Amino acid sequence: PNYVTIYDNLPINSPIISNYGQSIFISGKLNVINSKTIEPYINRSPNYGFLQFVDVKINNKIVRAFNLHGRSQPGHKNDTKTRIKQSETIISYLVEDKHSNILGGDFNLNPETKSIKIIEDKGLVNLISKYGIKTTRNSMAWSQAVEHNSLGLYKYYGKQPFADYCFVSKNITVKNFEVPDIEISD
């Protein structure tokens, strides 16, 4: 009850689900001045997700907080043209240097990809690497790490330790950052 919920959903053409939703939760003590949802890639089964952001005014400065569910297929989590375009779309929505950005979510990317480097090269600090996080996933992800293709075949890509990331502008002071080992999702 003490949070403002920024929720959006997209209709999905899939036999499994009819729509997909995401939320950002912002403390009710903060002044939300703008929010937007962007599709950084075309949503097709089994790729569901989008980019959300919310602008919050704090001490006459804008903080833009992003929530991404990135392209999940193909399951190898390496660069593809679509994933690189996704990162380029994300950085086009960063606010000016005098303001601040917080970018988090399920990017579905390996850490050594060009897609991650595009975001780091824009000046954002990768908290996963800065804090030496060993994994952002758990056994639920590893037990389901298969990709279904049009022939009905499955491919296992192995134990992928990363998919989720958090980036911040250099002018943000991070007091603490951790990724708890909780089996809620991948």
Side-chain angles (χ1 to χ4, degrees):
N2 299 328
Y3 289 85
V4 173
T5 304
I6 309 299
Y7 174 80
D8 206 347
N9 65 26
L10 294 173
I12 302 293
N13 183 14
S14 166
I16 301 169
I17 61 173
S18 60
N19 71 44
Y20 171 86
Q22 295 178 194
S23 292
I24 297 176
F25 298 92
I26 299 290
S27 171
K29 297 175 185 176
L30 299 175
N31 182 18
V32 175
I33 58 172
N34 182 37
S35 66
K36 189 169 183 172
T37 298
I38 299 110
E39 294 183 60
Y41 58 86
I42 296 172
N43 282 276
R44 292 193 184 117
S45 178
N47 285 295
Y48 314 121
F50 45 86
L51 176 68
Q52 297 174 283
F53 71 79
V54 59
D55 290 335
V56 179
K57 193 169 190 175
I58 303 172
N59 299 327
N60 292 322
K61 292 186 179 181
I62 303 297
V63 175
R64 181 164 283 176
F66 295 86
N67 175 29
L68 172 73
H69 185 263
R71 181 88 178 195
S72 62
Q73 300 297 325
H76 55 60
K77 303 208 181 319
N78 294 322
D79 284 321
T80 63
K81 288 180 183 178
T82 302
R83 286 178 170 150
I84 289 170
K85 175 69 174 151
Q86 173 180 282
S87 291
E88 291 169 344
T89 299
I90 291 166
I91 64 169
S92 74
Y93 285 95
L94 298 177
V95 291
E96 299 174 18
D97 289 339
K98 65 181 178 177
H99 298 302
S100 302
N101 297 281
I102 301 169
L103 168 60
D106 185 352
F107 287 65
N108 285 305
L109 290 168
N110 286 318
E112 66 280 355
T113 58
K114 178 180 179 182
S115 300
I116 291 294
K117 186 157 178 35
I118 288 169
I119 295 166
E120 293 170 336
D121 285 350
K122 193 63 178 174
L124 296 182
V125 177
N126 182 340
L127 298 182
I128 298 301
S129 62
K130 180 179 179 178
Y131 282 83
I133 303 299
K134 303 291 186 220
T135 185
T136 63
R137 307 185 89 201
N138 59 56
S139 64
M140 287 178 73
W142 300 319
S143 66
Q144 300 171 16
V146 294
E147 179 180 322
H148 182 265
N149 68 23
S150 61
L151 301 174
L153 304 173
Y154 290 86
K155 182 171 183 178
Y156 178 65
Y157 287 102
K159 187 175 177 179
Q160 300 165 317
F162 297 98
D164 309 303
Y165 294 87
C166 187
F167 300 88
V168 297
S169 297
K170 290 179 181 175
N171 64 354
I172 292 179
T173 302
V174 178
K175 294 181 180 179
N176 184 32
F177 181 78
E178 62 182 296
V179 177
D181 184 15
I182 300 172
E183 291 197 8
I184 295 177
S185 178
D186 70 338

